């Protein structure tokens, strides 16, 4: 039932969540253990059940992922190399699976797949917004609008934008 609490799987059927759990292996990482580094091949994804993963891009931007998030999902879906180094900030309990298998599951559970991709895209935009200060061209690329029309960051978002972003789990 924990997976149902995650924004990624909130609307998924119980049967689809059970299938997801059956097709993934339980893994554990100790605090300080490197899960992957920038440039490594992807192809597999985690779903964190407990603990936090500290993530650092090659440019030095930091964010973290916690319970209910699928670290590695973006690059595994795109079949691209890892774009950040992930180190267990705390002990992590997670589900580990091949992205190819997860995509097959999404084919059979279309709503689950579209929800997953929508939340993944929003989280990526959140990280991009808090780790960069786009100029007008960047805003047009991100939002398709001029600077005056772009969404404004709140005071709390602005305060945390100095190279550290927190990707909340729910």
């Amino acid at each position: 039932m924990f997976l149902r609490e995650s924004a990624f799987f909130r609307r998924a059927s119980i049967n689809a969540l059970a299938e997801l759990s059956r097709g993934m292996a339980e893994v554990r990482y100790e605090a300080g253990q490197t899960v992957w580094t920038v440039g490594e091949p992807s192809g597999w994804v985690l779903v964190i059940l407990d603990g936090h993963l500290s993530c650092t891009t090659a440019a030095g931007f930091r964010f973290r992922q916690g319970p209910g998030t699928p670290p590695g999902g973006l690059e595994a879906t795109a079949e691209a190399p890892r774009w950040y180094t992930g180190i267990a900030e705390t002990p992590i309990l997670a589900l580990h699976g091949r992205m190819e298998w997860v995509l097959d599951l999404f084919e059979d559970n279309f709503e689950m797949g579209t929800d997953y991709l929508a939340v993944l895209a929003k989280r990526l935009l959140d990280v991009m917004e808090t780790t960069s200060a786009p100029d007008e061209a960047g805003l047009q690329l991100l939002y398709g609008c001029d600077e005056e029309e772009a969404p404004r960051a709140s005071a709390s978002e602005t305060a945390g934008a100095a190279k550290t972003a927190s990707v909340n789990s729910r």
Side-chain angles (χ1 to χ4, degrees), residues 21-95:
S21 296
R22 278 192 304 271
M24 298 181 87
E26 184 179 291
V27 294
R28 295 177 185 272
Y29 296 95
E30 296 301 319
Q33 186 176 352
T34 299
V35 177
W36 60 66
T37 58
V38 171
E40 283 184 18
S42 60
W44 56 274
V45 63
L46 294 176
V47 176
I48 296 179
L49 302 175
D50 188 40
H52 287 90
L53 184 70
S54 176
C55 308
T56 307
T57 68
F61 296 113
R62 299 177 188 272
F63 58 100
R64 69 195 295 239
Q65 298 191 57
T69 61
L74 178 67
E75 57 271 24
T77 302
E79 298 179 354
R82 302 293 183 194
W83 59 280
Y84 58 89
T85 295
I87 298 175
E89 184 176 306
T90 63
I92 291 176
L93 171 63
L95 297 176

Side-chain angles (χ1 to χ4, degrees), residues 8-162:
F8 288 91
F9 306 115
R10 192 164 287 138
R11 297 185 319 154
S13 74
I14 296 299
N15 290 337
L17 292 176
E19 191 175 341
L20 176 69
S21 296
R22 278 192 304 271
M24 298 181 87
E26 184 179 291
V27 294
R28 295 177 185 272
Y29 296 95
E30 296 301 319
Q33 186 176 352
T34 299
V35 177
W36 60 66
T37 58
V38 171
E40 283 184 18
S42 60
W44 56 274
V45 63
L46 294 176
V47 176
I48 296 179
L49 302 175
D50 188 40
H52 287 90
L53 184 70
S54 176
C55 308
T56 307
T57 68
F61 296 113
R62 299 177 188 272
F63 58 100
R64 69 195 295 239
Q65 298 191 57
T69 61
L74 178 67
E75 57 271 24
T77 302
E79 298 179 354
R82 302 293 183 194
W83 59 280
Y84 58 89
T85 295
I87 298 175
E89 184 176 306
T90 63
I92 291 176
L93 171 63
L95 297 176
H96 173 284
R98 302 282 317 150
M99 195 64 201
E100 180 179 306
W101 181 87
V102 174
L103 293 175
D104 285 343
L105 176 66
F106 289 165
E107 286 178 6
D108 296 334
N109 299 277
F110 185 74
E111 187 174 84
M112 183 182 187
T114 57
D115 286 351
Y116 174 84
L117 292 174
V119 174
L120 199 63
K122 178 169 182 344
R123 298 265 167 98
L124 177 60
L125 286 174
D126 289 345
V127 168
M128 290 171 64
E129 286 177 346
T130 54
T131 58
S132 65
D135 58 11
E136 185 174 341
L139 289 171
Q140 288 175 341
L141 180 64
L142 278 175
Y143 297 107
C145 62
D146 292 327
E147 188 171 359
E148 296 81 38
E149 301 174 80
R152 299 289 177 214
S154 68
S156 63
E157 290 172 331
T158 305

